[in-house]
């Protein structure tokens, strides 16, 4: 696995940990970092959208949804 792939998973897993702790802003940031490395990661996009929703950030949720096409 490539270095970018490993870092993508590290950010993704960190986002999941923050989401479990209900630390929404940190989860969102981690998922965004993950997507910078692997932009087409469906699970990461899904979890990012979920974190936006749980944080009550509907405006950002709509932007994330629109990027999914």
């Amino acid at each position: 696995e490539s270095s970018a792939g490993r870092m993508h998973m590290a950010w993704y897993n960190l986002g999941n940990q923050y989401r479990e702790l209900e630390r929404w802003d940190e989860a969102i940031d981690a998922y965004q970092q993950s997507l910078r490395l692997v932009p087409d990661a469906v699970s990461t996009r899904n979890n990012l959208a979920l974190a936006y929703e749980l944080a009550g950030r509907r405006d950002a949720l709509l932007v994330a949804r629109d990027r999914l096409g």
Side-chain angles (χ1 to χ4, degrees), residues 28 32 47-58 60-61 64:
I28 289 166
Q32 289 172 335
N47 286 3
L48 174 60
L50 180 60
Y52 278 136
E53 182 177 7
L54 293 169
R57 293 176 56 181
R58 300 282 179 175
L61 177 60

Side-chain angles (χ1 to χ4, degrees), residues 2-30:
S2 71
S3 175
R6 286 190 302 274
M7 288 306 300
H8 151 73
M9 287 306 300
W11 282 112
Y12 174 77
N13 290 332
L14 182 61
N16 289 340
Q17 291 298 312
Y18 280 135
R19 191 167 48 94
E20 287 182 24
L21 295 170
E22 300 182 5
R23 293 170 60 175
W24 312 125
D25 290 338
E26 288 134 314
I28 289 166
D29 181 61

Side-chain angles (χ1 to χ4, degrees), residues 30-51:
Y31 292 136
Q32 289 172 335
Q33 293 291 338
S34 177
L35 287 170
R36 284 186 185 95
L37 297 167
V38 181
D40 61 346
V42 175
S43 294
T44 306
R45 290 198 175 276
N46 182 63
N47 286 3
L48 174 60
L50 180 60

